[in-house]
Amino acid sequence: KLEGLKTIAVTTNGINLTRLLPRLKEAGLNAINISLDTLVPAKFEFIVRRKGTNLSSKATVLILAGMCLLSLQVNCVVMRGFNEDEVLDFVDFTKDLPVDVRFIEYMPFDGKYCCFQILLGQS
């Protein structure tokens, strides 16, 4: 409710998002960034470090895209030897959804990390 505030966004791996979404929308949420580095369920569990994850970020993306209520973006950090073979799968997965996809290159830099982004989407 701050004057001039136009966007309230959250970045999430999406695991609890569908459960929390009604309250977040009441609070004014109007944009979501979902971190989704893989479409492969076993790799997703490895990344989030939770076994038996019933609702993956892929399912969350489909649910939110179907609702078309919020600005939705998927961030994918591309890592050599882990998910670089999935880039075209991400493009195919999101091509007909109201979703922007950002491919972010994982780059170690003097012990710290920086990112290079490529934005694909409808905007």
Side-chain angles (χ1 to χ4, degrees):
K1 296 183 181 184
L2 297 175
E3 187 175 325
L5 185 64
K6 296 179 182 177
T7 303
I8 298 176
V10 65
T11 298
T12 175
N13 65 10
I15 291 175
N16 293 314
L17 185 61
T18 53
R19 180 176 54 84
L20 299 172
L21 190 58
R23 289 190 311 207
L24 291 169
K25 286 187 65 184
E26 280 180 28
L29 181 74
N30 55 9
I32 299 174
N33 297 315
I34 295 183
S35 299
L36 181 58
D37 299 328
T38 181
L39 298 173
V40 178
K43 287 182 185 180
F44 181 79
E45 281 188 358
F46 175 78
I47 290 171
V48 299
R49 297 186 171 128
R50 285 186 177 179
K51 288 286 184 190
T53 302
N54 294 328
L55 187 59
S56 72
S57 287
K58 182 178 176 182
T60 303
V61 169
L62 289 171
I63 291 166
L64 294 173
M67 294 169 60
C68 296
L69 300 173
L70 302 168
S71 171
L72 182 59
Q73 179 172 288
V74 171
N75 297 329
C76 176
V77 176
V78 181
M79 296 167 274
R80 180 176 292 143
F82 184 74
N83 65 349
E84 81 275 10
D85 60 331
E86 295 184 61
V87 171
L88 293 179
D89 295 334
F90 271 93
V91 173
D92 189 51
F93 169 61
T94 59
K95 71 181 179 186
D96 296 322
L97 299 176
V99 175
D100 289 330
V101 179
R102 291 193 313 177
F103 292 102
I104 304 169
E105 182 181 0
Y106 174 79
M107 299 186 317
F109 184 74
D110 289 335
K112 298 180 182 175
Y113 303 101
C114 65
C115 295
F116 173 75
Q117 303 174 6
I118 301 171
L119 177 63
L120 297 178
Q122 299 176 349
S123 52

